[in-house]
Amino acid sequence: MLERVIFPHEQERHLLEERRKEKDREKRREIEKKLISLYVYVGEYFKMSRPDPKQAKLYLQKALRYNPSHAIANYRLAHIYYGEKEYAKAVYHFERAFGTSGWRIK
């Protein structure tokens, strides 16, 4: 499991290749869900377990390319931006996170 976290490139490469070859839209969407999960998992790892905001942002942004409204990816990215004092970006991603989970910021 630790190897997956530190070296996600093999899994990423495999999933991207699988996605590229797949013609069925539904199967492609399932592969994309796996990619998003991988990116969020690795992003959370670099945010929380082994703090490296640059790496965490990279993976969370990859997840958001596939699903811009992903609540967890937006929430984690918002925390990173807040810690970097990039408040406008933090607010944007907090709103995306809460908006997709049914919460509203007032």
Side-chain angles (χ1 to χ4, degrees):
M1 184 66 127
L2 186 59
E3 188 174 316
R4 174 183 173 198
V5 173
I6 298 171
F7 302 106
H9 308 297
E10 178 91 17
Q11 271 186 294
E12 178 185 26
R13 192 175 10 254
H14 174 73
L15 288 169
L16 288 171
E17 181 66 21
E18 202 177 315
R19 181 183 174 276
R20 187 183 65 77
K21 290 180 181 179
E22 186 57 59
K23 302 297 181 209
D24 184 294
R25 284 186 189 193
E26 195 57 39
K27 288 181 182 176
R28 282 176 60 104
R29 185 67 191 131
E30 289 302 313
I31 295 167
E32 287 174 3
K33 286 180 183 178
K34 290 178 185 178
L35 268 170
I36 292 166
S37 293
L38 175 67
Y39 293 147
V40 171
Y41 179 83
V42 175
E44 286 182 325
Y45 173 79
F46 282 116
K47 182 189 179 301
M48 301 166 131
S49 298
R50 185 174 155 196
D52 184 343
K54 185 177 177 181
Q55 286 296 310
K57 278 196 302 191
L58 173 80
Y59 285 102
L60 293 169
Q61 289 167 340
K62 283 183 177 188
L64 292 174
R65 279 188 218 128
Y66 286 99
N67 183 355
S69 62
H70 193 279
I72 296 171
N74 275 294
Y75 186 75
R76 297 290 186 229
L77 193 54
H79 271 277
I80 293 168
Y81 283 132
Y82 183 83
E84 294 175 343
K85 296 182 171 54
E86 293 192 49
Y87 301 120
K89 290 179 182 179
V91 167
Y92 172 80
H93 287 286
F94 275 129
E95 287 177 343
R96 298 281 306 196
F98 291 126
T100 59
S101 65
W103 294 20
R104 294 280 178 221
I105 297 175
K106 294 181 181 182

